[in-house]
Amino acid sequence: MNEPQIDIRQKIKQLVAQSDPTAWFEVLYADSQGDANQVPWAKLAPHPYLQDWLINHTPQGEQPSALVIGCGLGDDAQALATAGYQVTAFDISPTAIAWCQKRFPDTNVNYLVADLLAIPSQWQQAFDLVFESRNIQALPVNIRSQVIQSVASLVAPGGTLLVITGFRETEAEPDGPPWFLSQSELAMFAEINFTEVNKLPFLELERLHLRIEYQRQTAN
Ligand SMILES: C[S@@+](CC[C@H](N)C(=O)[O-])C[C@H]1O[C@@H](n2cnc3c(N)ncnc32)[C@H](O)[C@@H]1O
């Protein structure tokens, strides 16, 4: 999540305090009434560090599959489809998914409402590429291990997991949202047999972020 404007930040803090860790997203999207300025992470463009990655990583094979987690308003999913992936994109918010379908009526992306914490069984280890941008950090630290396990479970053996996240240089729990990831939290990916292929630090709104490419080992 980017740094929201101050009044939206206060609104998000109130929503987080009032509801379970995922229920407030739908409230925020619905309250925005189609105004993307009210959705602090929505830039109506693909993430520049996804676009940069796609320049140097052309899809291998015939239409490999890609899954976009917490796809928001759909720009990253559209970029992956344009690059040649067969894309499934999901979000917990029905309003966000309806918004994607309205923005991209002729899309070949399969936009779906689904919950990362209750993923369909047929998605287990099913996707050649999984794109996870700024969703883990949007969920509280006390469910981090569960969220990371869920993200990891979607990647096919030998497949790629591309993560974009804010990074915190201390293990102390931050005052989120967002709750940027720490070194020990990122280490969970290695513990579940993901190899780090590439890590690129960058600044977003003057805060340290990482783009990390992992590969799932073939036997696990
Ligand atoms: C901070 S936004 C990031 C959106 C997008 N990935 C990006 O980088 O711009 C988090 C997104 O994850 C979605 N989300 C939150 N919890 C989820 C869950 N349990 N399952 C699926 N989507 C979820 C929210 O509705 C929201 O669209």
Side-chain angles (χ1 to χ4, degrees), residues 15-177:
L15 287 172
V16 169
Q18 285 162 12
S19 64
D20 75 46
T22 53
W24 64 272
F25 293 99
E26 170 58 17
V27 177
L28 187 87
Y29 281 114
D31 283 1
S32 72
Q33 298 189 333
D35 177 3
N37 291 321
Q38 302 304 312
V39 180
W41 48 84
K43 296 288 170 276
L44 303 183
H47 195 286
Y49 281 85
L50 171 62
Q51 289 182 299
D52 174 77
W53 186 84
L54 284 170
I55 289 169
N56 298 311
H57 296 79
T58 46
Q60 303 295 307
E62 202 176 314
Q63 272 225 314
S65 59
L67 181 72
V68 180
I69 297 172
C71 63
L73 300 189
D75 297 276
D76 296 326
Q78 292 299 128
L80 286 160
T82 301
Y85 289 94
Q86 189 180 321
V87 181
T88 301
F90 74 98
D91 202 285
I92 200 163
S93 161
T95 300
I97 292 301
W99 200 335
C100 293
Q101 288 161 338
K102 189 172 175 197
R103 286 185 71 205
F104 307 110
D106 301 321
T107 188
N108 51 14
V109 174
N110 187 17
Y111 285 108
L112 298 167
V113 177
D115 183 354
L116 175 62
L117 302 175
I119 54 172
S121 57
Q122 70 270 23
W123 286 5
Q124 292 283 342
Q125 302 197 16
F127 295 92
D128 299 310
L129 172 67
V130 172
F131 182 57
E132 152 49 38
S133 168
R134 306 183 299 178
N135 304 304
I136 302 173
Q137 70 181 47
L139 297 168
V141 170
N142 66 351
I143 56 168
R144 184 122 307 169
S145 171
Q146 183 190 358
V147 173
I148 286 177
Q149 295 276 352
S150 267
V151 168
S153 73
L154 298 160
V155 185
T160 296
L161 170 63
L162 189 65
V163 174
I164 290 179
T165 185
F167 179 71
R168 69 180 202 272
E169 286 167 291
T170 161
E171 293 297 334
E173 187 168 331
D175 179 26

